[in-house]
Amino acid sequence: MQFSSLPVAARDSHSPPPAPNPSRPWASTLTLAVYFAAIFLSAALLFLMEPMFAKMALPLLGGSAAVWTTCLVFFQAALLAGYAYAHAVQRLPLRAQFTLHSALMFGALVFLPVHLPAAWTPPPSSNPAGWLLWLLLVAVGLPFFALSATTPILQKWFARSGHPASPDPYFLYAAGNTGSLLGLLVYPFALEPLLTLRNQAWLWAASYILFLLLAAGCMLLAWRGRRRDSSTVSAPSQIEGLEDPGAHSAEPPTWRLRLSWVVRAFVPSSLMLAVTAALTTDVPAIPLFWLVPLALYLLSFVLVFARRNMVPHLWVRRRTPLLILAAAIPIVLKGVLPYSALFIVDLLMLFAVALVCHGEIAGSRPAPRHLTGFYLWISVGGVLGGVFNALLAPVIFNSLVEFPLVLVLAALLIPPVEGLEDTPAARRNDYLHPIAMGIAVAAAIWALQRRGVAPGMWYNFGVFCPAVICCLRFGVRPRRFGLGVAALILASQVYLGPFGRILLSKRSFFGVYRVIDDADRNCRALLHGGISHGLQSLDPARACEPLAYYTRQGPIGQVFDAFRSSALEDDVAIIGLGAGALITYSRPHHPFTFYEIDPTVLRIASDRRYFTYLSNCGPPAHFVLGDARLSLRNAPAHGYGIIVLDAFSGDSIPTHLLTREALALYLSKLAPNGIVAFDVTNRYLDLHGVLGNLAQDASLFGLVNDDLTMSAREAQEGKFASTWVVMARSSADLEPLRDMPGWRVLPPAPGARVWTDDFSNILSILRLR
């Protein structure tokens, strides 16, 4: 991914610069300030738009983290198009550039403030990635394109301003990079917690108008600089720590060098998206978690193109193999690290790889006359990385295979240490040693599993620790190290790991699903990422017994038991299917209606080879595909006695299902004395106050049951800890439930704002472990 804040050649090396005017130092200061402010603001607006619009689109697609990765692909492609436009337009006369680019920038005003087009709904039964890309093109395509093209064009115009630094304007990259980083940091910590999406969009529009004024000032300064006498050529200004552009070869870059730029840009771009997917699979869709990998990716550009060598390239290179191996260990062990550890390890690895790859790119940059093409090729690599992860990988892989693949490629791209032995025997061992190590690991795993040795700490230590040390010793030789990492990951495929034998692995836009057998409980489980979202006993006598979060002794079992004699259970809507366990509570001749956003989940739950709840444990249910917020609009008014919210995005219920507008929709479909039940079980968000505020805001009565303790026998039989909230229009409607064990009145959170479609402050209730 190439960013608008990176330096672009101001002029060809053969073009003479305008003469400065030493008698008017204030004019030089003003010129620099206007250009600096315009470039700073344009970059900040670009990186504010990205999370802002992704959050707007999030509710349309079930809160899936894939919304962000797909948005990034679009933004990468728009940046590439902007650079291509800037590269082409610089060949026009200055007046024509002014006219064309002014029309582009002012034309973007038609699309402001940024908003979702009316009546756009995603397809219910197919991959929505293409639909989302079209939505982005229609809603923000022109403003984003205009801003991405403006920064390189402004740098070109700065060369015509007559400023003393105009012959060598590389220092202006600091303005764009600072603006980009500030935009990324301001959004999760200032804009998102304080402003609604509508107000964010209006603030963005006002800032864009300010940018237009600054861009107009840049045009005026460039035009005045053009009119000055250019017969006197001044020497380029020397900026401390910046290499003389003339030191680079003026020869056109070879195709081999261009390919190396593409590949080295591809790896960090792909790795950034892979790390983002790994970090957001099991946590709520929070812009902060989207933006941290992107910020580190951008910071790597800042550091490698800095005027001073802030992070020694060789120092980073020597530590990168250790970080790559640390990130590969959870893949090899098929285990889940504590989130805080995974967060640190993956981000450090991403940052190191980005510094190494981008540092190699910066070290091979060509003469200034070729720099626009240079950044175009980097942009191509960034776009290819995004397309591979967000569009191709979900179609061609059944799991997150792209992460280990790019890790291996990153290992292969580490530059070799100087003085490395390059004999035929050494090159031959670059292949033989990894192969031997991989065979040894696979053989050890196979032998231990044949003997029935269960995975555990000593198992992992004895099998994988020697292999990791061996790989680390390969680190001085990139080819041997990369192949060693590949061999270790391939050998680990023999390892069953803590999940045991995987019966099925399927991937969709909404994530990776696995079906496994839990030998300890004698159950079959449906996993999304590392979270179980359904469990069914393999004992035929217990096959129709609801397990996990849905046991008859648990909160939701108490709800259905309390209203068993009521007509409320005649018409029940379930939002979220999982393995289908809730169908066991349905009455004969009164089928439940399930609302499910992901067709893949419906196919898995309906397949008798994996789960039989739907086929054997209740009357045939009705299924409605699509996001429930959209699908429920078509349901009859006040037609449901009970509505159960059991949807998930990773570990938690999607936040757009917990807003004032969402609750109003549920109430419009709920019988006058009906109830709404929320499964708010999760590890990372404390949702009690959120739902308490919603209930208070809608004048509803609420109860909560934190069913967090259980006996060893209950756990062995398949019961999970769970938290459920129920709401009704009056306390009398919940009277049958109030006297049951575990239920208490749902309290609001004092001083907290009610969540709406425009506002949800997730950071305030986040609890990482």
Side-chain angles (χ1 to χ4, degrees), residues 338-356:
Y339 186 80
S340 54
L342 188 69
F343 192 83
I344 293 170
V345 168
D346 282 355
L347 289 180
L348 283 177
M349 179 275 300
L350 168 65
F351 191 42
V353 170
L355 283 173
V356 170

Side-chain angles (χ1 to χ4, degrees), residues 305-328:
F305 283 95
R307 291 180 291 175
R308 294 180 178 85
N309 188 11
M310 302 176 68
V311 181
H313 190 64
L314 182 59
W315 186 88
V316 178
R317 180 256 173 264
R318 287 175 174 170
R319 286 151 181 82
T320 300
L322 176 62
L323 293 172
I324 290 176
L325 275 175

Side-chain angles (χ1 to χ4, degrees), residues 252-278:
T254 64
W255 282 104
R256 181 175 182 177
L257 182 58
R258 292 169 183 167
L259 180 61
S260 74
W261 294 338
V262 171
V263 173
R264 292 186 188 278
F266 170 92
V267 169
S269 174
S270 175
L271 201 55
M272 175 190 63
L273 295 177
V275 167
T276 302

